Amino acid sequence: MEKLLTNRTMHHVYRNELLNGNQYGFTPQKSAIDAAIVVKEYLEEALREGKIAIIVTLDVKGAFDSAWWPNIIVTIQDFKCPKIFIQLSKKLLKRKNSYYNYKQHTN
């Protein structure tokens, strides 16, 4: 169900051109190599013009798993996805909660 919902939502997003043109991850016909080439060209141009160029990168481990779900729902609504996508997303994301039974693990 999760994969189906993701595919349909992304189809809506791509069809309506809702992503930033600089989005490379999870984008059809774009790869990490494409992103690296864009960065390389940007740096080469800056260096040709005698500018100083600095690159800062960040990789957040488990970023999607720790995403704030209410904001994801708001974004889906902002993208004007069909209501059924929003309803299914809410139900699916509610199931992503983790529970820890403290009483079971105490001595």
Side-chain angles (χ1 to χ4, degrees), residues 29-94:
Q29 286 83 45
K30 288 189 177 182
S31 68
I33 293 170
D34 295 323
I37 289 169
V38 169
V39 170
K40 177 183 169 276
E41 290 170 354
Y42 179 82
L43 292 173
E44 287 174 342
E45 181 181 340
L47 293 173
R48 274 193 307 273
E49 295 174 3
K51 296 179 181 176
I52 296 173
I54 298 172
I55 296 178
V56 177
T57 64
L58 176 65
D59 182 17
V60 179
K61 184 176 182 180
F64 184 76
D65 293 333
S66 60
W68 189 50
W69 300 116
N71 194 46
I72 292 173
I73 297 298
V74 169
T75 301
I76 293 170
Q77 290 169 332
D78 289 347
F79 281 172
K80 299 197 182 343
C81 287
K83 286 186 179 185
I84 188 68
F85 292 1
I86 298 166
Q87 293 167 347
L88 289 172
S89 295
K90 285 179 181 178
K91 288 180 182 180
L92 183 66
L93 293 174
K94 280 183 183 179

